[in-house]
Amino acid sequence: MSSTAAAGPALIDRLDRLTATVTINGETVARTGTRDARYSVAQAIAHVSCGEQLYPGELLATGTLPGGSGMELGRWLAPGDHLRLEIDGIGIIEHDIQK
């Protein structure tokens, strides 16, 4: 799975104020942010660090934000779809879905 979980060079000091916009084939299907998450970034870090030591540079994957899953959208990605994720202040990543 070498093409998944891409991470880029970004330093973020405002983790609780990030907004993500997802478009599929040019249609905005989700616009949500870390403020909408069930747990704050600080709560997630506190929970994980109770059982694991965290080191500088480690990534903590928190899952899909509210409103962004195929189940919530009522559709799944299909071959030929163009997916675009933009996180304000960080950048854009795009994928063409293939079979």
Side-chain angles (χ1 to χ4, degrees), residues 39-75:
Y39 302 103
S40 72
V41 173
Q43 288 173 313
I45 292 170
H47 177 76
V48 170
S49 66
C50 284
E52 295 289 329
Q53 184 167 348
L54 298 175
Y55 296 95
E58 289 190 317
L59 298 177
L60 180 60
T62 58
T64 303
L65 291 169
S69 75
M71 192 174 287
E72 290 173 292
L73 298 173
R75 65 167 291 196

Side-chain angles (χ1 to χ4, degrees), residues 11-20 32-46 60 62 65 87-88 90:
L11 295 174
I12 309 302
D13 63 354
R14 52 183 185 83
L15 293 172
D16 285 322
R17 295 179 288 159
L18 297 175
T19 300
T32 188
T34 51
R35 286 184 176 179
D36 301 323
R38 178 173 287 179
Y39 302 103
S40 72
V41 173
Q43 288 173 313
I45 292 170
L60 180 60
T62 58
L65 291 169
I87 301 177
D88 295 344
I90 296 178

Side-chain angles (χ1 to χ4, degrees), residues 72-88:
E72 290 173 292
L73 298 173
R75 65 167 291 196
W76 299 101
L77 293 172
D81 283 345
H82 181 79
L83 174 71
R84 180 178 191 267
L85 167 64
E86 179 174 1
I87 301 177
D88 295 344

